[in-house]
Amino acid sequence: MRDIYLLGATGSIGTQVCDIIRAHPEVFNLVTATAHTNIKQLREVINQFHPEYVSVGTHEAKRELQELFPNQEIGVGETGLIKAATYEGSDGLLVNAVVGSAGLMPTYQAVLKGRDIALANKETLVIGGDIIMPLVREKRISLLPIDSEHSALMMCLKNEPKESVTSLIITASGGSFRDKTRAELTGVTVQDALLHPNWSMGAKITIDSATMMNKGFEIIEAHHLFDVPYNRIQAVLHQESIVHGLVEFNDGSMLAHMGHPDMRVPINIALFYPKRIPYQAQQLDLTTLKKLQFDRVSTKRYPLFKLAIEAGKTGGITPTILNAANEVAVMLFLNGKITFLQIEEIVLECLNKFKQTKSLTIEYILETDEVVKDYVHKQYS
Ligand code: NAD
Ligand code: MG
């Protein structure tokens, strides 16, 4: 049995992780689970899996949950999240499926504890990759991606010597506005933005896909995960979302990982690695595919894609500024406070306004995350 510590149990990824745990009761034991405010769903998780410890985002949510489960140990806020991630026990797996920078500290603390990690929370690596990855290597733990493109790259790289790898390529669907020109983005609605053509995901990543910030994040994520320089990582538009990632080798050949878009495939890979386990995914019938298209990503059409890669290359605190500005801007857009195009403006404004003042530490990342978020809230709420 493997103990699972699941952060973000009620989200899009978290729910699918729960389904997989439920399908393999002889393999996994859910020990801790967290949610932000979705008590209704966390209640189901408790009823089904009887975790030893759960945690929620607010005191109000805690009170509500405690009334339903008087004997359940319940935590709250960041302390609760970290306790859920580092809960007693050995040989378990932290599955971090929280959205946003809130995922960084629990990952960091679990790494310090020497716990293996399956990471959906890409923001951890975007803002903290320079600190997290050296620690992962030092502690000799495994940190595996729950992100379709990186899972694909990991599978393509599995048996290959590092020196034979020329480049990493990830694909981008283009998001919900891929058929619109920039001019047509003026006045698009939240509802339209949430209609992703190929993937059903949480609200924040769906908006990040529409701005292509997500793909910029994923290039930073790939850089940290696979220790490959930015000039050897690319993204291409691929509207069918059948090929998820490709690795190019020094003999001119490429390996690609393909399949219908289904996050349960990369989740299974991360949970069972290095084993591959049977799963009834929709079968890929090559003869009905007819064509697979690949195009260049236009940085004019998707300026946040470019800004994210530049922030990654600059490194230090810059990705934290980028991410914090984006996180609040996306939330404000979802709440109808700003327009879709203002997300870009706010990110650019913050990148110009805030600068690195000292060397990178976890504390400096958290402090900057808060300062930038406060600024955007005050200016635009
Ligand atoms: P979601 O919004 O559906 O779920 C987020 C989860 O995090 C929920 O359980 C919520 O309760 C919790 N949460 C929200 N704010 C929190 C906070 N401040 N503190 C603690 N917990 C909080 O998001 P999702 O789509 O499941 O994405 C989760 C992560 O996985 C993101 O980093 C995303 O980029 C990444 N990811 C998602 C997908 C996907 O298909 N959904 C694919 C690849 C990567
Ligand atoms: Mg992805």
Side-chain angles (χ1 to χ4, degrees):
M1 288 290 269
R2 189 149 205 215
D3 287 345
I4 300 286
Y5 312 90
L6 175 59
L7 311 186
T10 56
S12 163
I13 295 288
T15 308
Q16 297 178 81
V17 171
C18 284
D19 290 344
I20 290 171
I21 298 175
R22 194 179 307 110
H24 299 277
E26 74 295 351
V27 182
F28 300 118
N29 174 32
L30 187 74
V31 180
T32 67
T34 80
H36 200 47
T37 49
N38 191 343
I39 296 307
K40 198 165 159 244
Q41 208 175 319
L42 187 58
R43 184 178 160 180
E44 281 175 31
V45 172
I46 297 174
N47 280 330
Q48 275 186 25
F49 299 101
H50 310 289
E52 289 174 30
Y53 179 79
V54 299
S55 185
V56 291
T58 64
H59 287 281
E60 193 191 332
K62 179 180 165 161
R63 265 195 304 276
E64 214 179 302
L65 197 64
Q66 197 80 74
E67 269 176 34
L68 297 167
F69 301 96
N71 300 321
Q72 174 76 51
E73 193 188 351
I74 305 173
V76 67
E78 194 189 33
T79 323
L81 208 56
I82 292 171
K83 183 164 174 181
T86 58
Y87 200 74
E88 65 209 49
S90 57
D91 203 29
L93 179 71
L94 164 65
V95 183
N96 188 344
V98 156
V99 62
S101 60
L104 175 65
M105 269 318 257
T107 310
Y108 177 66
Q109 295 295 343
V111 173
L112 288 181
K113 193 183 159 83
R115 177 159 285 166
D116 287 342
I117 297 168
L119 189 68
N121 180 259
K122 64 187 78 180
E123 293 89 346
T124 286
L125 290 181
V126 170
I127 67 179
D130 282 329
I131 292 172
I132 298 286
M133 291 314 292
L135 271 176
V136 164
R137 288 180 203 114
E138 187 189 315
K139 296 275 179 187
R140 296 175 181 276
I141 54 174
S142 98
L143 184 148
L144 304 179
I146 297 185
D147 204 343
S148 54
E149 299 78 1
H150 305 76
S151 182
L153 292 176
M154 182 173 87
M155 296 316 267
C156 295
L157 289 166
K158 203 171 172 186
N159 300 312
E160 304 291 344
K162 201 170 176 222
E163 58 277 13
S164 61
V165 174
T166 312
S167 67
L168 308 181
I169 304 166
I170 56 175
T171 61
S173 68
S176 37
F177 298 138
R178 66 187 183 193
D179 297 327
K180 290 193 189 305
T181 62
R182 274 194 70 79
E184 288 168 344
L185 294 177
T186 309
V188 289
T189 66
V190 173
Q191 219 178 356
D192 292 339
L194 287 176
L195 290 176
H196 195 286
N198 302 358
W199 297 91
S200 159
M201 311 181 284
K204 196 242 173 194
I205 185 176
T206 304
I207 304 303
D208 285 346
S209 300
T211 62
M212 207 65 102
M213 177 63 102
N214 182 52
K215 215 44 62 180
F217 280 170
E218 289 185 351
I219 289 201
I220 303 177
E221 185 186 2
H223 164 75
H224 289 298
L225 278 171
F226 304 111
D227 194 22
V228 170
Y230 283 103
N231 62 3
R232 297 204 278 120
I233 311 171
Q234 308 166 39
V236 291
L237 273 176
H238 168 52
Q239 66 175 46
E240 294 84 5
S241 292
I242 295 294
V243 177
H244 305 296
L246 309 94
V247 175
E248 186 187 22
F249 297 98
N250 57 4
D251 61 359
S253 63
M254 280 186 179
L255 279 181
H257 194 267
M258 300 165 70
H260 283 290
D262 180 347
M263 281 310 292
R264 283 160 208 253
V265 175
I267 298 173
N268 273 325
I269 288 174
L271 263 56
F272 287 93
Y273 196 84
K275 271 195 229 153
R276 210 189 254 282
I277 59 124
Y279 164 64
Q280 297 277 318
Q282 186 190 341
Q283 234 183 346
L284 192 59
D285 179 353
L286 293 174
T287 61
T288 60
L289 282 177
K290 301 301 176 207
K291 65 175 177 184
L292 296 174
Q293 306 173 73
F294 301 94
D295 282 306
R296 206 174 56 81
V297 180
S298 159
T299 50
K300 276 211 180 80
R301 171 66 182 77
Y302 295 107
L304 285 186
F305 171 68
K306 186 172 173 217
L307 276 185
I309 298 171
E310 281 170 359
K313 285 181 179 166
T314 306
I317 204 68
T318 312
T320 301
I321 300 168
L322 171 98
N323 178 71
N326 180 66
E327 222 173 291
V328 181
V330 169
M331 199 197 74
L332 293 175
F333 170 66
L334 287 169
N335 293 336
K337 305 265 191 214
I338 62 166
T339 65
F340 181 73
L341 287 172
Q342 271 182 292
I343 300 173
E344 293 171 7
E345 290 169 22
I346 291 172
V347 172
L348 188 58
E349 180 188 339
C350 289
L351 284 170
N352 288 328
K353 184 176 171 61
F354 296 97
K355 297 285 171 223
Q356 178 138 0
T357 55
K358 45 187 167 183
S359 54
L360 198 70
T361 59
I362 278 283
E363 294 74 25
Y364 183 36
I365 292 175
L366 296 177
E367 188 187 301
T368 307
D369 180 64
E370 200 177 319
V371 169
V372 176
K373 284 181 176 174
D374 277 354
Y375 171 78
V376 181
H377 270 300
K378 284 199 182 109
Q379 293 291 315
Y380 296 93
S381 291

